[in-house]
Amino acid sequence: MLIFSSCLFMFYFGMIMFFMKKKHILMMLLSLEFLSLIMLLLLINFLCGFLYDFNILIYFIIILVCEAVMGLCLLTLMVRTHGSDYSKCLLIYSC
């Protein structure tokens, strides 16, 4: 129960960091990765408690890696085209 409550506290902390760091897209991506790692810990805790098969963890980790690579690729493309990772730069160029 202590692991679940600490993971829940870290999840709330990650959500707060995600909503507070709206200026830099890199910080938003890092907080999303933190949230996904916390979800992985919760999934491991759930699967250990009920003695399920752990093959779903491999699929979940593959999805996490693909999400991280796609986010970094989009961030790299945005920095190359717009010059920075500020989210307000995107609003200037959209008009």
Side-chain angles (χ1 to χ4, degrees):
M1 189 67 178
L2 182 64
I3 295 172
F4 180 74
S5 61
S6 63
C7 285
L8 198 59
F9 174 72
M10 288 189 295
F11 186 79
Y12 288 141
F13 181 71
M15 289 294 285
I16 289 170
M17 289 304 294
F18 178 72
F19 288 120
M20 288 182 66
K21 301 291 182 182
K22 289 183 181 178
K23 289 183 182 180
H24 294 283
I25 295 178
L26 181 63
M27 291 300 293
M28 290 176 70
L29 285 173
L30 284 173
S31 63
L32 280 176
E33 286 300 314
F34 180 73
L35 288 173
S36 59
L37 286 175
I38 297 302
M39 287 175 32
L40 179 67
L41 285 174
L42 286 172
L43 185 64
I44 289 171
N45 189 18
F46 177 75
L47 290 176
C48 286
F50 292 109
L51 298 174
Y52 282 119
D53 194 17
F54 289 102
N55 289 335
I56 195 165
L57 288 177
I58 295 171
Y59 296 124
F60 192 73
I61 291 172
I62 288 171
I63 290 171
L64 290 180
V65 169
C66 291
E67 180 257 335
V69 168
M70 190 182 311
L72 286 176
C73 179
L74 290 174
L75 179 71
T76 305
L77 288 173
M78 190 184 80
V79 167
R80 285 185 181 179
T81 57
H82 298 298
S84 68
D85 70 331
Y86 289 119
S87 60
K88 294 191 178 197
C89 289
L90 294 176
L91 297 176
I92 293 171
Y93 291 123
S94 64
C95 294

